[in-house]
Amino acid sequence: MSSARRNLPEEVAIALVYNGSTAAVMMGTPQDLPDFLIGFARSEGIVMSPADVTDIEVLRHPNGIEVRGRIPDDRASALDARRRGMTGPVGCGLCGIDSLEAALREPPRVHKMHAHLVGLAANALTALDTRQVLRRQSRGMHAAGYFDVTGLRMMREDVGRHNALDKLIGALGSRDLSGGAVLLTSRISIDLVQKAAQVGLPAVFSVSSPTRGAADLAERIGMTLVTHRDGGEFILDPTEDVPQ
């Protein structure tokens, strides 16, 4: 294998399995898989606490990877409600959802973002770039990071932007996220707003602009969207008022 090919990002089929039932099969990077299993369950509303996902095991097969875990029996109905019946390609956060109602679900309202986070975002982006080891190797990875007044606290990478966010959510555990924000290396879409709101993140920062649907949803639930401009500064999305 040539050195150029060895540096390409990995992409494999990853099945997320809860209580023996497959919730999703996503194409993604085979790293931080327990975080992926926990984060997906939280961001999709399958469980409310990371402690609800237990007995995690990773099983590697010739054609992909299974990540298995247990969830409480009373959460099985939530899993059935969010059933995904097909493989999700890289970068697809809604693939396989079997109803329009599920795809356009209204997430809970979030707390108002602390205004001073806008001034801290540039340093957080620099830290995120510095810690993107896989991106430097392959030039083909997304990242999601969580930052607050103390700086960048956690980050995860994946070839899929939704996967990166799910892995980050899983890695953050049970901490209160209302005092910080998530920073993405991709555009902000509706499903990323849904995932962030589901775990109480009050703001999403990104190097790219949101879609109109994402901006509309964020406005309804009180989430602040902040985008990075060519001049190097972060600015509030024009649909949002400046937080006080």
Side-chain angles (χ1 to χ4, degrees):
M1 181 184 297
S2 68
S3 59
R5 181 161 296 187
R6 280 197 299 269
N7 289 332
L8 293 176
E10 284 193 79
E11 178 189 359
V12 302
I14 303 170
L16 304 177
V17 182
Y18 305 90
N19 293 18
S21 181
T22 300
V25 181
M26 305 298 288
M27 302 303 298
T29 304
Q31 292 186 327
D32 302 311
L33 297 180
D35 292 340
F36 194 12
L37 189 74
I38 295 170
F40 181 87
R42 290 199 66 206
S43 73
E44 294 295 316
I46 297 170
V47 301
M48 302 308 294
S49 167
D52 289 335
V53 184
T54 60
D55 301 327
I56 299 174
E57 57 179 338
V58 177
L59 303 177
R60 297 180 181 271
H61 304 287
N63 58 345
I65 299 173
E66 277 187 282
V67 193
R68 297 178 180 176
R70 298 290 304 175
I71 59 175
D73 291 338
D74 62 358
R75 300 308 301 163
S77 59
L79 174 58
D80 291 338
R82 296 292 298 150
R83 181 71 58 201
R84 294 170 181 241
M86 60 184 286
T87 299
V90 164
C92 183
L94 296 175
C95 298
I97 287 181
D98 55 12
S99 74
L100 292 175
E101 181 180 357
L104 299 176
R105 74 187 191 279
E106 194 85 353
R109 288 190 61 84
V110 297
H111 294 291
K112 188 176 289 292
M113 182 194 78
H114 295 304
H116 56 264
L117 288 177
V118 176
L120 302 174
N123 286 340
L125 180 60
T126 298
L128 185 69
D129 183 68
T130 300
R131 292 170 61 175
Q132 280 189 257
V133 176
L134 297 180
R135 182 189 62 80
R136 287 198 300 273
Q137 292 173 350
S138 67
R139 301 295 178 184
M141 302 289 286
H142 283 297
Y146 174 79
F147 74 100
D148 58 18
V149 293
T150 65
L152 184 70
R153 301 292 299 276
M154 186 78 67
M155 63 86 67
R156 287 292 184 267
E157 294 182 272
D158 196 278
V159 289
R161 55 202 174 96
H162 307 89
N163 300 348
L165 180 56
D166 280 336
K167 288 179 178 182
L168 174 67
I169 290 169
L172 286 168
S174 58
R175 72 181 70 186
D176 180 5
L177 304 179
S178 61
V182 66
L183 174 60
L184 305 175
T185 61
S186 66
R187 63 180 169 82
I188 307 171
S189 55
I190 289 175
D191 44 331
L192 292 176
V193 170
Q194 291 170 329
K195 285 177 177 291
Q198 187 67 40
V199 298
L201 285 160
V204 177
F205 288 64
S206 178
V207 299
S208 181
S209 296
T211 64
R212 182 174 299 175
D216 290 344
L217 175 58
E219 186 174 25
R220 290 198 303 273
I221 64 174
M223 178 179 287
T224 303
L225 303 184
V226 189
T227 60
H228 188 255
R229 296 306 190 200
D230 291 338
E233 62 179 343
F234 280 90
I235 64 168
L236 295 166
D237 183 82
T239 63
E240 296 285 342
D241 294 329
V242 176
Q244 301 300 316

